[in-house]
Amino acid sequence: MTNAAVTTGATPALDGQAQKKTLRRIITRNWWLLFVNSYTKLEGTTFAHVMMPFLEDIYGKETDEFYDAMKRHSNFFNTTPMMNPFILALVVTMEYERKAALDAGKDFDDNSIESLKVALMGPFAGIGDSIAVGVLRILTTGIALGFSQQGLWLGPVLFLVVYNVPNLLIQWLMGTMGMKLGSGFVAEALESGMIASITKGLNVLGMLMVGAMTASFVGFSTSLVLDMGNGVTFDLQSVLNQIMPGILPLGLTLLCFAYLRKHNRPMLLMLILFVAAIALTALGVCG
């Protein structure tokens, strides 16, 4: 990336009220990022669509520079939508800087904009997936399930609220940081390993949440009690509890995970579990 493309703060063209307006547009436009995906470009086409009004403001409508920029932003792109406002804000500011540099008769490396997107989409996808899928979605699902199991309408409502409110706040925070910090901060974060550390920590937290949900919501126990004679009985569940409480739900979860990881057939797995539940109940193994 050339020096012309590295920014350590807000672009002069986006100071004050213009910066706030641009930030609002970045957040609302970002909601379209997953509207259309393709196997070849994933979010590339929609990223260009999201950028369209900003590029029209910078280069003018239906100008050669506008179409060149649209083509530049239609390449392969894939990251977590929650984190994308950070990348989007940096790209918008760099496009403003490109326009200012060219108007002043200076050179600007167009490849630096694409290089920034490629460099950030992977690390930010790791952080975003860890937050959205590994932590936030699991946490909200756990809260919603508790109410839903009681037949309360608060279950699905709380899921929507508790998941989407933090999601929107994170998008706003990412967009604000992207506008203020600039690509110089990102380069330092990537080189220092800070982003990798954050991703690893969130993955660990996500695994802890999965374990907590397994213990709370996966119900599997045995009612098998054998008469050993002379008034002595063998209670299999009591023995298993002495070995490790919750060993059956944990074992079932790990078996399901191993099956899905190898075959990825969730509907067939649900059918297997349904048939197994009926068979074990008929045999008296489960109550």
Side-chain angles (χ1 to χ4, degrees), residues 11 50 59 67 75 82 97 106 123 133 166 185 198 256 273 280:
T11 302
V50 169
Y59 301 113
Y67 287 119
N75 294 327
M82 176 189 292
E97 290 176 355
K106 300 178 181 179
V133 181
F185 169 81
I198 294 174
C256 292
L273 291 175
L280 291 175

Side-chain angles (χ1 to χ4, degrees), residues 225-234:
V225 178
L226 300 177
D227 186 1
M228 309 302 292
N230 298 323
V232 179
T233 58
F234 175 77

Side-chain angles (χ1 to χ4, degrees), residues 75-229:
N75 294 327
F76 177 88
F77 183 79
N78 186 39
T79 197
T80 308
M82 176 189 292
M83 308 298 291
N84 188 56
F86 187 97
I87 302 175
L88 193 58
L90 288 180
V91 171
V92 170
T93 56
M94 290 179 71
E95 290 288 354
Y96 273 104
E97 290 176 355
R98 177 185 182 276
K99 176 64 173 175
L102 296 179
D103 289 344
K106 300 178 181 179
D107 293 331
F108 191 96
D109 184 7
D110 293 351
N111 292 328
S112 64
I113 302 177
E114 184 67 19
S115 298
L116 178 74
K117 290 169 55 181
V118 173
L120 292 184
M121 67 179 183
F124 273 66
I127 295 176
D129 289 347
S130 299
I131 296 175
V133 181
V135 178
L136 191 56
R137 185 177 296 179
I138 293 175
L139 177 63
T140 53
T141 301
I143 295 173
L145 280 176
F147 287 95
S148 298
Q149 287 180 335
Q150 302 176 39
L152 299 176
W153 58 267
L154 278 175
V157 172
L158 282 176
F159 179 85
L160 292 174
V161 173
V162 178
Y163 180 79
N164 285 294
V165 170
N167 195 322
L168 292 174
L169 291 176
I170 291 174
Q171 289 188 49
W172 186 270
L173 177 63
M174 290 296 102
T176 303
M177 291 175 60
M179 298 287 286
K180 292 183 178 180
L181 296 179
S183 55
F185 169 81
V186 176
E188 294 177 3
L190 287 171
E191 292 176 0
S192 66
M194 182 177 68
I195 290 182
S197 299
I198 294 174
T199 302
K200 184 176 181 179
L202 290 171
N203 283 331
V204 172
L205 178 59
M207 293 304 296
L208 291 174
M209 296 297 297
V210 171
M213 286 193 63
T214 300
S216 300
F217 296 107
V218 178
F220 182 32
S221 61
T222 177
S223 59
L224 183 64
V225 178
L226 300 177
D227 186 1
M228 309 302 292

